Amino acid sequence: MAALPPREFAAQVLPGCVVPTARQGLAQLWPLLLLCLGARLLHRLPLPRGGKHAGAAAGGLLALHHFFGAQALWVALLSGLCVLTLLLSRARAHRGLCLALAALSYLLMGELHMVDTVTWHKMRGAQMVVAMKAVSLGFDLDRGAGAAEPSPAQVLGYLCSPGSVVFGPWEPFGSYLRAVEGPPLSAAWARKGLRSLGLALLCLLVSTCLAPFLFSSLLPLYGARALRRWLRAYESALSFHFSNYFVAFLSEATATLAGSGHTERHEHLHWDLAVSRPLRVELPRSMAEVVTNWNLPMSRWLHTYVFQTARCLGTFAAVLGTYAASALLHGLSFHLAAVLLSLGLITYAEHGQCQPFKGGIWGVPEIFGVLQTLWVWGVNRDVEGPCRGFEVPEVSGLLQTLWVRALNGALGALALFHLSYLGALFDVEAEDAVEEQGYGMAYTVRKWSELNWASHWVTLGCWVLARLLR
């Protein structure tokens, strides 16, 4: 699209993209929202708990059928497999590992042999949420976190809860049980659900109608060919980011409407579920902050059930194992695996890069000890000069604040550079067929070659620098 004045751009985009996108999104979502609200009202009725769990499972299966049609059977089969595995491994001490192996085997068999690639990729998110719930429940039972052994109806209701089975988020088993207890309806609950739904639709519009034309129409910038490539990469990354925020806020809305996502503080319920923090992703101080705030529940799940389990193998192995587990859950897509493993390398190098600044030879106390000594020496030489009466701690504090802000700004700029590079793979102009089947190795190599593999070279340089400063 050629560069247009703001009024002409709004006149074209508003009727041609914004209104149809919002209308189509609401048309697709209202049955799911009604099912979540129905589950919330069902939990408030004086029914046996077994009936409430069965109702939650039935509502989740209806939601899956609405989005995936007959193919929802594959998600239901995974849920049934997880329930059966939990029953058969009840006498064992490693139920978490048994469920992880069963879920992973099913996902690999489904993607490689049982279902065509396009259909399987459409159900990938739902399959991932069910697998994460099952694995977390198994490990929690192994650690004695649960009060009692759950019944099959409880497990099936947890895995297929309508508030999280389609778009997520992952929630622990205890959170689901608290939702089934039926916390009272309130204005705060309604406000949280409506606010999350409104933010979800706003992110959908930005991802579809605004982000793809950020530099071509809204902010037309011109420069060298390399600069245009990086601006285009940032444009693709931004559109992909807001599509993720759309899913994150939508999952907040569905989980809240179903009664999940509340905490109790000082005998008051607070509906404070947060799935993603966009500002901390778009204006980061480090890539580790990006990874954590991209999907808070999944980050918690990976840290609790993967990183902590693999930490005995060493930090590097635990970091790569965590990103490898995330890649397997997201499906056998080369570009996703490449992005996630690259993130693992970047965050590991970033961790090593920051270590020398935490009390090492370049730590803040050491730097400002030297600066303070120099300042005292200068003041003693010029007792009658303009520096008289200016206390050393004030200067030291000011310089320390400037140093920390400069360092955080540099790390934030580096994180944006990495985000643009990784987001270049999610090109909004790619063909729909290619996007549905997953970007292959040739596409990934071509995209990163156009950017001269810059992020990987910078990551290598940061790792070498960190090794030299140790």
Side-chain angles (χ1 to χ4, degrees):
M1 179 181 293
L4 296 174
R7 290 186 179 180
E8 293 186 17
F9 180 80
Q12 289 189 13
V13 170
L14 186 63
C17 183
V18 173
V19 174
T21 300
R23 184 180 300 159
Q24 185 178 4
L26 289 173
Q28 286 287 326
L29 295 177
W30 72 263
L32 174 62
L33 300 175
L34 285 181
L35 286 171
C36 293
L37 185 59
R40 178 85 165 93
L41 298 177
L42 178 67
H43 295 162
R44 293 288 299 162
L45 297 178
L47 299 175
R49 292 189 176 180
K52 294 183 179 181
H53 295 302
L61 293 176
L62 287 175
L64 289 170
H65 184 270
H66 169 71
F67 281 93
F68 308 122
Q71 302 300 330
L73 175 65
W74 297 108
V75 185
L77 287 176
L78 175 60
S79 303
L81 175 64
C82 291
V83 174
L84 180 61
T85 303
L86 186 62
L87 289 174
L88 295 177
S89 61
R90 178 168 292 184
R92 299 181 179 273
H94 301 286
R95 286 175 287 187
L97 184 59
C98 292
L99 282 166
L101 291 175
L104 181 60
S105 300
Y106 180 86
L107 293 177
L108 292 176
M109 288 294 295
E111 188 153 6
L112 294 175
H113 298 289
M114 294 189 297
V115 188
D116 64 278
T117 304
V118 175
T119 301
W120 190 263
H121 281 189
K122 291 179 180 179
M123 299 182 295
R124 183 166 51 196
Q127 303 272 27
M128 179 174 63
V129 172
V130 171
M132 290 170 62
K133 287 182 178 181
V135 172
S136 65
L137 176 59
F139 278 107
D140 286 344
L141 292 174
D142 291 338
R143 299 168 182 173
E149 194 73 23
S151 66
Q154 286 179 316
V155 177
L156 193 61
Y158 169 54
L159 298 180
C160 297
S161 172
S164 57
V165 71
V166 179
F167 296 101
W170 168 79
E171 59 179 350
F173 185 59
S175 178
Y176 165 75
L177 292 181
R178 289 192 296 271
V180 173
E181 292 174 1
L185 303 176
S186 64
W189 163 75
R191 283 197 303 268
K192 172 63 177 176
L194 293 175
R195 177 181 179 274
S196 296
L197 180 60
L199 289 174
L201 293 175
L202 178 62
C203 291
L204 175 64
L205 296 178
V206 172
S207 174
T208 306
C209 303
L210 297 181
F213 313 112
L214 179 62
F215 295 115
S216 59
S217 295
L218 294 178
L219 300 171
L221 299 177
Y222 307 97
R225 185 177 182 183
L227 176 61
R228 290 198 300 270
R229 285 179 178 176
W230 279 100
L231 292 177
R232 183 60 186 164
Y234 181 76
E235 219 173 44
S236 299
L238 196 65
S239 179
F240 174 68
H241 291 179
F242 274 88
S243 67
N244 173 73
Y245 305 147
F246 160 69
V247 175
F249 285 119
L250 180 59
S251 64
E252 281 185 16
T254 56
T256 300
L257 288 179
S260 299
H262 63 274
T263 56
E264 186 172 351
R265 297 193 300 270
H266 305 295
E267 299 182 354
H268 291 282
L269 288 180
H270 297 268
W271 298 92
D272 52 3
L273 175 63
V275 177
S276 182
R277 296 192 181 111
L279 287 179
R280 296 191 181 184
V281 176
E282 299 304 324
L283 300 173
R285 290 185 296 178
S286 66
M287 286 302 291
E289 188 176 21
V290 171
V291 171
T292 301
N293 292 284
W294 180 261
N295 189 317
L296 293 167
M298 187 169 190
S299 176
R300 176 185 170 192
W301 184 90
L302 289 170
H303 182 269
T304 304
Y305 302 104
V306 181
F307 181 80
Q308 293 293 347
T309 304
R311 198 167 188 177
C312 58
L313 303 176
T315 303
F316 181 72
V319 169
L320 287 187
T322 301
Y323 285 97
S326 179
L328 289 174
L329 284 172
H330 282 86
L332 296 179
S333 176
F334 183 86
H335 82 292
L336 280 177
V339 168
L340 290 171
L341 292 178
S342 297
L343 276 172
L345 296 174
I346 292 170
T347 51
Y348 180 77
E350 185 180 77
H351 173 75
Q353 182 185 2
C354 291
Q355 285 303 311
F357 294 95
K358 295 179 180 179
I361 59 172
W362 296 102
V364 169
E366 288 74 15
I367 287 176
F368 290 101
V370 175
L371 292 176
Q372 183 169 341
T373 301
L374 293 175
W375 179 257
V376 171
W377 179 74
V379 171
N380 289 335
R381 291 190 60 190
D382 187 20
V383 177
E384 300 300 331
C387 298
R388 187 178 181 181
F390 200 94
E391 297 182 3
V392 172
E394 295 179 2
V395 177
S396 178
L398 176 61
L399 292 175
Q400 182 170 346
T401 301
L402 293 176
W403 167 258
V404 171
R405 288 184 178 180
L407 183 60
N408 286 335
L411 293 176
L414 182 61
L416 288 176
F417 162 78
H418 288 307
L419 282 174
S420 300
Y421 177 83
L422 297 175
L425 297 184
F426 303 92
D427 193 349
V428 293
E429 293 185 352
E431 296 180 3
D432 293 338
V434 175
E435 185 176 358
E436 290 175 354
Q437 294 179 4
Y439 305 105
M441 182 175 64
Y443 175 87
T444 303
V445 171
R446 178 174 63 84
K447 279 293 183 180
W448 279 347
S449 296
E450 292 177 355
L451 300 176
N452 301 314
W453 301 90
S455 180
H456 288 91
W457 286 113
V458 170
T459 300
L460 178 61
C462 291
W463 179 79
V464 172
L465 180 62
R467 301 292 294 182
L468 293 175
L469 290 178
R470 282 185 178 180

